[in-house]
């Protein structure tokens, strides 16, 4: 019998599988589950975007594009960041089209991290950052954010975590899973520390258009002295409800984009041609679609946060993305116990907070990119579940 352990990448075998997937697997084995676990918009891709993809298939635009992506798309991405955030990017040398934002994150980390480099990762946060850092030979250092500070990163917390091995800060705002955002003033305080300590930043801005504060989203790359230090990751999945089209992009200084493109060239070749053609139309004509979906999410956001607080599961008001992060410590259950008992007894799927780092223990992530009907039914079932716990304690 072959001993596969001696062949496998040891760093990869030590990485734990995604904590999110366990509950999806349980849900798949059950009928009539209400799932508030997946971060996927329930809207269809707007028709004019789909139509553009169909048209390009019909005329046979099915060949590879350049490794970096269609120049027309890269120009539109650069124009979008200028229009929305007043940042100038050169479409030819500072923009890379990727297979989803996730590939952009992978390419960015692998392009700058060497064995032993420390990467500071805001926590709780999306599940992919730490494993990619570790497989790249880097050391992932969590920067724990707290509910009483609305899960924001402070300059003091950042400063205290920096060592002589620190190279990169992963800054994921608006945040998945908490829904936290950081405003311009807060980012300026962070930027001062970054510049003083000569660090790079990976700014994951995939939820930039889903910011519900009057100020809107501020890209840290727009601040003085920061564009040259930032690798910005964004994409089309959340903004335009294009998850299955698998299209994202990275914006960064030319020397970094050059190395990212080299990795992308050997590992991927190019992003899907049909998706790129459709994305051009999304950027040119999709602002009205964004506003419509954002207004619906905002209404759901207020409904679900109010619902959890009425159930006695304290939930701070998330101002970004489409997640809330209620605290379930009052139930006496761990995050995993709560989620497993909930799905088995009430057929409601949510995600344990510790799937997003140890600091997420005592919380659950609940997505509100679902209909009000499903959200209401889920809240009623969770209310019954919590009352049963209390009556049995």
């Amino acid at each position: 019998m072959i001993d596969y352990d001696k062949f496998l990448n040891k760093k990869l075998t030590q990485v734990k599988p995604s904590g999110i997937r366990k509950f999806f697997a349980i849900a798949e084995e059950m009928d009539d589950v209400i799932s508030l676990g997946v971060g996927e918009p329930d809207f269809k891709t707007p028709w004019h975007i789909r139509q553009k993809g169909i048209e390009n298939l019909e005329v046979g635009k099915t060949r590879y594009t350049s490794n970096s992506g269609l120049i027309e798309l890269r120009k539109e991405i650069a124009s979008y960041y200028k229009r929305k955030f007043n940042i100038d990017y050169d479409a030819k040398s500072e923009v890379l089209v990727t297979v989803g934002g996730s590939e952009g994150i992978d390419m960015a980390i692998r392009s700058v991290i060497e064995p032993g480099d420390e990467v500071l990762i805001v926590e709780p946060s999306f599940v992919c950052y730490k494993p990619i850092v570790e497989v790249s030979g880097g050391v992932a250092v969590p920067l724990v954010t707290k509910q009483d500070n609305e899960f924001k990163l402070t300059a003091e917390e950042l400063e205290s975590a920096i060592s002589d091995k620190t190279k990169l800060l992963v800054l994921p705002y608006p945040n998945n899973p908490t829904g936290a955002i950081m405003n311009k003033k807060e980012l300026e305080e962070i930027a001062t520390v970054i510049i003083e300590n000569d660090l790079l930043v990976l700014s994951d801005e995939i939820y930039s258009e889903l910011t519900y504060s009057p100020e809107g989203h501020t890209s840290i790359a727009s601040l003085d002295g920061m564009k040259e230090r930032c690798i910005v990751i964004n994409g089309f999945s959340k903004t335009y409800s294009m998850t299955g089209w698998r299209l994202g992009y990275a914006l960064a200084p030319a020397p970094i984009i050059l190395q990212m493109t080299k990795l992308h060239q050997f590992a991927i070749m190019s992003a899907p041609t049909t998706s790129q053609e459709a994305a051009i139309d999304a950027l040119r004509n999709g602002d009205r679609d964004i506003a419509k979906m954002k207004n619906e999410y905002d209404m759901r956001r207020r409904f679900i946060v109010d619902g959890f607080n009425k159930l006695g599961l304290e939930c701070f008001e998330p101002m970004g993305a489409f997640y809330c992060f209620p605290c379930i410590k009052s139930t006496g259950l761990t995050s995993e116990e709560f989620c497993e008992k909930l799905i088995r007894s009430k057929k409601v799927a949510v995600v344990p907070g510790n799937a997003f780092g140890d600091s997420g223990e005592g919380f659950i992530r609940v997505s509100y990119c679902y209909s009000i009907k499903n959200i209401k039914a889920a809240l009623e079932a969770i209310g019954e579940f919590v009352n049963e716990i209390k009556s049995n304690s």
Side-chain angles (χ1 to χ4, degrees):
M1 188 172 183
I2 296 174
D3 178 12
Y4 288 104
D5 287 342
K6 71 178 183 180
F7 295 106
L8 296 173
N9 181 322
K10 288 184 172 52
K11 289 185 181 297
L12 186 57
T13 60
Q14 291 167 3
V15 171
K16 295 179 180 179
S18 168
I20 300 174
R21 297 299 156 186
K22 173 182 176 181
F23 294 90
F24 293 163
I26 295 173
E28 286 174 356
E29 297 173 358
M30 302 172 69
D31 295 324
D32 303 321
V33 171
I34 301 173
S35 177
L36 302 185
V38 183
E40 181 168 28
D42 64 335
F43 299 102
K44 292 180 180 178
T45 305
W47 169 243
H48 64 94
I49 300 173
R50 285 182 279 152
Q51 187 175 37
K52 186 60 65 174
I54 293 167
E55 288 174 2
N56 281 283
L57 283 172
E58 287 179 336
V59 299
K61 288 189 177 181
T62 56
R63 303 179 72 84
Y64 292 130
T65 69
S66 74
N67 295 137
S68 299
L70 290 168
I71 187 59
E72 192 177 3
L73 175 56
R74 285 181 280 149
K75 286 179 178 178
E76 289 296 334
I77 290 167
S79 175
Y80 170 83
Y81 256 75
K82 176 64 176 177
R83 175 166 60 93
K84 291 283 188 174
F85 310 116
N86 197 31
I87 314 173
D88 288 299
Y89 284 103
D90 181 79
K92 291 183 179 179
S93 64
E94 296 181 321
V95 182
L96 170 64
V97 179
T98 61
V99 181
S102 297
E103 192 221 340
I105 293 166
D106 183 32
M107 299 293 106
I109 291 172
R110 287 202 282 153
S111 292
V112 301
I113 295 306
E114 296 180 289
D117 287 341
E118 290 183 354
V119 179
L120 305 180
I121 303 174
V122 170
E123 192 181 284
S125 64
F126 187 52
V127 297
C128 77
Y129 310 121
K130 181 180 177 182
I132 294 171
V133 168
E134 292 176 341
V135 173
S136 301
V139 179
V141 179
L143 282 174
V144 175
T145 58
K146 302 175 181 64
Q147 183 183 25
D148 58 12
N149 191 37
E150 297 183 344
F151 297 103
K152 299 174 186 282
L153 175 65
T154 68
E156 293 76 21
E157 289 166 342
L158 174 59
E159 185 78 63
S160 66
I162 295 170
S163 76
D164 58 1
K165 294 182 179 179
T166 306
K167 181 182 280 188
L168 177 70
L169 166 67
V170 176
L171 195 68
Y173 289 97
N175 183 269
N176 172 12
T178 65
I181 64 170
M182 291 186 67
N183 62 35
K184 184 176 180 180
K185 182 177 181 297
E186 292 158 345
L187 289 172
E188 286 173 339
E189 294 171 357
I190 294 292
T192 298
V193 177
I194 291 165
I195 293 169
E196 288 176 351
N197 289 275
D198 193 24
L199 304 181
L200 292 176
V201 178
L202 191 162
S203 182
D204 187 347
E205 302 182 11
I206 195 73
Y207 296 100
S208 59
E209 286 284 7
L210 299 179
T211 301
Y212 309 104
S213 68
E215 180 183 308
H217 176 72
T218 297
S219 173
I220 193 170
S222 69
L223 305 181
D224 289 346
M226 287 305 297
K227 180 195 166 188
E228 56 264 42
R229 294 185 175 276
C230 285
I231 307 169
V232 175
I233 303 296
N234 210 320
F236 298 86
S237 294
K238 317 298 182 180
T239 301
Y240 300 99
S241 194
M242 292 177 68
T243 52
W245 297 75
R246 303 314 303 131
L247 201 70
Y249 55 89
L251 306 158
I256 295 176
I257 288 292
L258 179 64
Q259 300 310 313
M260 290 178 64
T261 304
K262 196 186 301 180
L263 271 176
H264 174 78
Q265 185 179 62
F266 292 126
I268 302 294
M269 175 60 186
S270 62
T273 303
T274 304
S275 300
Q276 292 189 57
E277 295 282 2
I280 293 170
D281 185 75
L283 289 168
R284 288 177 179 169
N285 303 305
D287 283 3
R288 190 173 297 178
D289 304 301
I290 294 171
K292 181 180 178 181
M293 288 186 278
K294 179 180 173 179
N295 286 339
E296 178 67 21
Y297 290 138
D298 193 19
M299 183 268 291
R300 297 174 187 179
R301 175 182 72 92
R302 289 180 273 113
F303 182 85
I304 200 168
V305 170
D306 182 61
F308 274 113
N309 284 321
K310 284 179 178 177
L311 293 179
L313 300 179
E314 183 185 359
C315 185
F316 98 101
E317 184 179 6
M319 297 301 291
F322 39 53
Y323 309 103
C324 62
F325 206 56
C327 179
I328 52 90
K329 293 177 183 177
S330 61
T331 66
L333 301 176
T334 67
S335 294
E336 290 204 18
E337 287 170 343
F338 184 98
C339 292
E340 187 153 359
K341 289 177 183 291
L342 176 65
I343 192 172
R344 295 196 184 282
S345 66
K346 301 298 178 182
K347 293 188 175 182
V348 174
V350 295
V351 180
N354 64 333
F356 306 94
D358 293 342
S359 61
E361 179 55 59
F363 297 84
I364 57 173
R365 188 194 77 172
V366 184
S367 172
Y368 52 86
C369 54
Y370 299 91
S371 70
I372 283 290
K373 178 182 177 182
N374 278 356
I375 292 172
K376 185 176 181 181
L379 285 170
E380 290 174 355
I382 292 170
E384 293 174 2
F385 177 67
V386 171
N387 287 333
E388 289 169 8
I389 293 171
K390 290 178 180 178
S391 64
N392 292 329
S393 61

